[in-house]
PDB file of all heavy atoms in Angstrom:
ATOM      1  N   ALA A 343      -2.397  19.748   1.141  1.00  0.00           N
ATOM      2  CA  ALA A 343      -3.862  19.778   1.053  1.00  0.00           C
ATOM      3  C   ALA A 343      -4.528  18.806   2.018  1.00  0.00           C
ATOM      4  O   ALA A 343      -5.756  18.700   2.057  1.00  0.00           O
ATOM      5  CB  ALA A 343      -4.297  19.471  -0.385  1.00  0.00           C
ATOM      6  N   LEU A 344      -3.716  18.086   2.800  1.00  0.00           N
ATOM      7  CA  LEU A 344      -4.314  17.147   3.755  1.00  0.00           C
ATOM      8  C   LEU A 344      -5.110  17.888   4.819  1.00  0.00           C
ATOM      9  O   LEU A 344      -4.674  18.934   5.306  1.00  0.00           O
ATOM     10  CB  LEU A 344      -3.221  16.331   4.452  1.00  0.00           C
ATOM     11  CG  LEU A 344      -2.719  15.073   3.768  1.00  0.00           C
ATOM     12  CD1 LEU A 344      -1.619  14.442   4.615  1.00  0.00           C
ATOM     13  CD2 LEU A 344      -3.850  14.080   3.560  1.00  0.00           C
ATOM     14  N   PRO A 345      -6.273  17.348   5.180  1.00  0.00           N
ATOM     15  CA  PRO A 345      -7.039  17.979   6.260  1.00  0.00           C
ATOM     16  C   PRO A 345      -6.294  17.860   7.595  1.00  0.00           C
ATOM     17  O   PRO A 345      -5.412  17.004   7.729  1.00  0.00           O
ATOM     18  CB  PRO A 345      -8.342  17.184   6.290  1.00  0.00           C
ATOM     19  CG  PRO A 345      -8.039  15.882   5.648  1.00  0.00           C
ATOM     20  CD  PRO A 345      -6.922  16.137   4.666  1.00  0.00           C
ATOM     21  N   GLY A 346      -6.662  18.696   8.536  1.00  0.00           N
ATOM     22  CA  GLY A 346      -6.046  18.647   9.866  1.00  0.00           C
ATOM     23  C   GLY A 346      -6.369  17.343  10.591  1.00  0.00           C
ATOM     24  O   GLY A 346      -7.203  16.556  10.135  1.00  0.00           O
ATOM     25  N   ARG A 347      -5.706  17.149  11.712  1.00  0.00           N
ATOM     26  CA  ARG A 347      -5.841  15.885  12.453  1.00  0.00           C
ATOM     27  C   ARG A 347      -7.293  15.559  12.801  1.00  0.00           C
ATOM     28  O   ARG A 347      -7.748  14.421  12.615  1.00  0.00           O
ATOM     29  CB  ARG A 347      -4.978  15.956  13.717  1.00  0.00           C
ATOM     30  CG  ARG A 347      -4.923  14.674  14.538  1.00  0.00           C
ATOM     31  CD  ARG A 347      -4.013  14.880  15.745  1.00  0.00           C
ATOM     32  NE  ARG A 347      -3.906  13.715  16.603  1.00  0.00           N
ATOM     33  CZ  ARG A 347      -4.733  13.440  17.594  1.00  0.00           C
ATOM     34  NH1 ARG A 347      -5.761  14.233  17.838  1.00  0.00           N
ATOM     35  NH2 ARG A 347      -4.553  12.370  18.338  1.00  0.00           N
ATOM     36  N   ALA A 348      -8.031  16.542  13.297  1.00  0.00           N
ATOM     37  CA  ALA A 348      -9.420  16.296  13.728  1.00  0.00           C
ATOM     38  C   ALA A 348     -10.286  15.823  12.561  1.00  0.00           C
ATOM     39  O   ALA A 348     -11.016  14.829  12.671  1.00  0.00           O
ATOM     40  CB  ALA A 348     -10.001  17.557  14.358  1.00  0.00           C
ATOM     41  N   THR A 349     -10.199  16.553  11.444  1.00  0.00           N
ATOM     42  CA  THR A 349     -10.984  16.174  10.258  1.00  0.00           C
ATOM     43  C   THR A 349     -10.536  14.808   9.730  1.00  0.00           C
ATOM     44  O   THR A 349     -11.361  13.975   9.346  1.00  0.00           O
ATOM     45  CB  THR A 349     -10.825  17.231   9.140  1.00  0.00           C
ATOM     46  OG1 THR A 349     -11.091  18.510   9.704  1.00  0.00           O
ATOM     47  CG2 THR A 349     -11.764  16.967   7.992  1.00  0.00           C
ATOM     48  N   PHE A 350      -9.233  14.611   9.724  1.00  0.00           N
ATOM     49  CA  PHE A 350      -8.693  13.337   9.246  1.00  0.00           C
ATOM     50  C   PHE A 350      -9.273  12.167  10.051  1.00  0.00           C
ATOM     51  O   PHE A 350      -9.699  11.155   9.490  1.00  0.00           O
ATOM     52  CB  PHE A 350      -7.164  13.358   9.362  1.00  0.00           C
ATOM     53  CG  PHE A 350      -6.480  12.387   8.456  1.00  0.00           C
ATOM     54  CD1 PHE A 350      -6.154  12.738   7.148  1.00  0.00           C
ATOM     55  CD2 PHE A 350      -6.180  11.110   8.894  1.00  0.00           C
ATOM     56  CE1 PHE A 350      -5.539  11.845   6.299  1.00  0.00           C
ATOM     57  CE2 PHE A 350      -5.562  10.203   8.045  1.00  0.00           C
ATOM     58  CZ  PHE A 350      -5.238  10.568   6.756  1.00  0.00           C
TER      59      PHE A 350
END
Side-chain angles (χ1 to χ4, degrees):
L344 274 179
R347 185 179 179 273
T349 309
F350 202 87

